[in-house]
Amino acid sequence: MLNTMVPHDHSCDDVSVSERIRARLRAAGQTFRANDNIAAFIEDGELEALCLEVENRMNAVLDALVIDTENDHNTVGTARRVARMFVDEVFAGRYRPAPPVTSFPNVSQLNELMIVGPLTVRSACSHHLCPIMGKMWIGVLPSREAELIGLSKFARLCDWIMSRPQIQEEAVIMLADELESRLQPEGLAVVMEADHFCMHWRGVKDEQPVMTTSIMRGAFLQNDALRREFLGLRKSGVK
């Protein structure tokens, strides 16, 4: 039998850590889809145990693929690396709480168009777990009464939302909802352009298509001139 591993002791009363987390989510009536953040249901020390559980299960996947991880020097540590990559890096937006975002008063009562971008997007499609790589532009028409956040916070929130398996159409809505709840702006616009490696690497294997999605809310829906200004400035800033 290839790659027979002694299971790590990541359980409590023979219940795996993933089972314990799922039980809490179900008891609270919370969904745990691929693009949901479940950080509030993970207790101290459980992320490390979750990595070990994913590593063991990934070893089983490699076994099923008939890869000799005991004797293939290139794949000896692959299960551990993939587990770390999923939990700590590319899907970290599922398991980590939102980044701290400091706001400050809008002392000058600014209410002019502000555009942030292009922000780099790194995500993964939930259908094949293939990379989604692209760029994001965010337009904000601030409210005179609401507080503002620093430019870098837009990038941190974008990375937190994008670091989950998902589809692009839902990702931009999720980011827009997060920004709207924090900024309470007069208007909000989000545009995302991305390459989907589930098309490049497999399937149709076409490298040309780029998917573009946009969200327009508030003043950007009601004011054609404002929307044109945002889209024009975004286009002129494409790098």
Side-chain angles (χ1 to χ4, degrees):
M1 180 178 179
L2 292 175
N3 193 38
T4 300
M5 289 195 62
V6 177
H8 293 274
D9 184 18
H10 55 249
S11 63
C12 178
D13 297 329
D14 294 327
V15 177
S16 70
V17 63
S18 66
E19 289 177 280
R20 296 203 301 271
I21 296 169
R22 269 193 298 275
R24 291 181 204 125
L25 288 158
R26 286 180 173 130
Q30 295 292 314
T31 62
F32 47 97
R33 293 183 289 257
N35 60 352
D36 283 329
N37 179 274
I38 60 172
F41 298 88
I42 300 174
E43 297 183 352
D44 289 346
E46 286 189 331
L47 272 185
E48 187 67 25
L50 191 62
C51 271
L52 293 174
E53 182 178 336
V54 174
E55 177 183 342
N56 283 337
R57 293 177 189 268
M58 185 54 61
N59 262 315
V61 171
L62 295 171
D63 270 351
L65 291 170
V66 198
I67 294 175
D68 182 2
T69 57
E70 287 188 335
N71 298 299
D72 176 3
H73 61 284
N74 290 319
T75 57
V76 167
T78 293
R80 175 180 49 79
R81 287 189 288 269
V82 171
R84 289 287 179 192
M85 178 184 72
F86 281 163
V87 177
D88 291 340
E89 297 179 278
V90 297
F91 300 160
R94 296 199 75 227
Y95 307 110
R96 306 288 182 182
V101 176
T102 304
S103 60
F104 51 92
N106 187 359
V107 175
S108 301
Q109 296 194 316
L110 302 173
N111 72 333
E112 299 295 331
L113 172 61
M114 177 179 68
I115 299 176
V116 182
L119 303 173
T120 299
V121 169
R122 301 180 185 86
S123 192
C125 80
S126 50
H127 297 156
H128 298 92
L129 302 185
C130 287
I132 299 172
M133 307 294 283
K135 295 184 183 301
M136 181 89 71
W137 291 262
I138 299 168
V140 178
L141 190 67
S143 164
R144 293 178 187 274
E145 290 74 29
E147 295 197 329
L148 305 173
I149 65 173
L151 292 179
S152 66
K153 306 310 183 206
F154 288 92
R156 293 186 187 281
L157 286 171
C158 177
D159 184 62
W160 180 62
I161 294 289
M162 293 300 144
S163 297
R164 308 172 190 184
Q166 55 200 328
I167 61 173
Q168 181 172 335
E169 299 93 321
E170 292 180 352
V172 291
I173 293 173
M174 193 172 284
L175 178 62
D177 289 346
E178 185 70 30
L179 291 171
E180 196 166 32
S181 69
R182 290 172 180 271
L183 298 172
Q184 300 178 0
E186 295 292 335
L188 177 70
V190 178
V191 172
M192 176 174 165
E193 293 180 355
D195 294 317
H196 290 244
F197 283 70
C198 59
M199 287 188 67
H200 297 342
W201 189 27
R202 56 159 301 282
V204 69
K205 295 181 179 177
D206 190 330
E207 297 185 357
Q208 297 303 316
V210 173
M211 184 173 183
T212 302
T213 46
S214 71
I215 300 289
M216 301 288 166
R217 294 182 178 175
F220 287 93
L221 272 180
Q222 302 153 5
N223 187 327
D224 291 343
L226 177 65
R227 186 165 61 249
R228 284 197 299 273
E229 181 182 3
F230 165 70
L231 293 174
L233 290 171
R234 182 197 72 86
K235 189 174 182 181
S236 67
V238 171
K239 296 179 180 177

